[in-house]
Amino acid sequence: MKSLDAKKGESQTEKAFGSALAEAPAAAASVSAPRVQIDLSKVKLEPLFADDIDFDTFSKSDFRVVKVKECVAVPKSKKLLQFTLDDGTGADRTILSGIHEYYEPEELVGKTCVAITNLPPRKMMGIDSEGMLISAVYEYDGREGLNLLMLDDVIPAGAKLY
């Protein structure tokens, strides 16, 4: 659980790297994640995989646009958030993601994200997670950063990504 001392409305970038980095106008805050100027010389990325995969293997992954209907912190977990998602099928999809360090649940409701939907269910904290949300992970100035991939809200739930 986050400290009650954390500022309300503080972005994940501000939480991770300090408010001096956030440079987004107030009007843009409701649209998507704030734009920040970072010193690229301080960014450290994981190396690319050395092994290639063939196109048929890649095409077996089902990347879909999902809309966050509900998001709550998982009881007894410091990291997990439980998402109830609209994946375009008419049935809710539950996905758990260990991103609570970077996001508060209420700031994600209504967002449009990307998920891999054809992974086998995986039980975490007694709850079946039915896929994986896609995030960008990097190290910046010695600290891990994470941004959940969010898309334009006009893209419908269930749209396939190629």
Side-chain angles (χ1 to χ4, degrees):
M1 214 77 189
K2 294 286 184 199
S3 164
L4 295 176
D5 294 64
K7 291 185 220 169
K8 284 239 185 241
E10 187 176 50
S11 76
Q12 66 274 10
T13 305
E14 290 170 331
K15 284 184 235 179
F17 305 119
S19 60
L21 287 176
E23 297 177 358
S30 64
V31 176
S32 64
R35 303 274 187 239
V36 294
Q37 190 70 11
I38 61 174
D39 180 355
L40 295 178
S41 69
K42 295 181 181 179
V43 173
K44 187 174 174 184
L45 304 173
E46 290 185 29
L48 297 176
F49 288 124
D51 297 333
D52 290 335
I53 60 168
D54 60 49
F55 185 78
D56 289 337
T57 301
F58 165 75
S59 65
K60 291 177 184 177
S61 296
D62 195 3
F63 290 87
R64 297 288 174 153
V65 174
V66 294
K67 305 275 184 173
V68 180
K69 294 172 72 173
E70 184 180 0
C71 184
V72 297
V74 174
K76 298 182 183 177
S77 172
K78 293 180 180 179
K79 295 181 179 183
L80 289 176
L81 295 179
Q82 180 178 340
F83 292 81
T84 302
L85 303 167
D86 174 2
D87 63 5
T89 64
D92 288 345
R93 175 179 296 271
T94 299
I95 292 181
L96 277 67
S97 183
I99 63 172
H100 199 179
E101 177 182 347
Y102 304 97
Y103 294 94
E104 289 302 323
E106 57 275 3
E107 70 183 295
L108 297 172
V109 175
K111 299 295 184 188
T112 302
C113 301
V114 175
I116 301 177
T117 58
N118 64 334
L119 294 172
R122 179 177 176 200
K123 197 170 284 290
M124 298 191 298
M125 301 292 291
I127 304 166
D128 276 341
S129 182
E130 304 165 317
M132 180 182 291
L133 292 171
I134 304 300
S135 296
V137 179
Y138 52 92
E139 186 179 307
Y140 181 75
D141 203 17
R143 295 168 62 184
E144 183 178 80
L146 180 143
N147 289 84
L148 183 62
L149 184 61
M150 294 185 221
L151 303 175
D152 192 307
D153 290 338
V154 300
I155 304 171
K160 183 164 175 56
L161 283 83
Y162 290 95

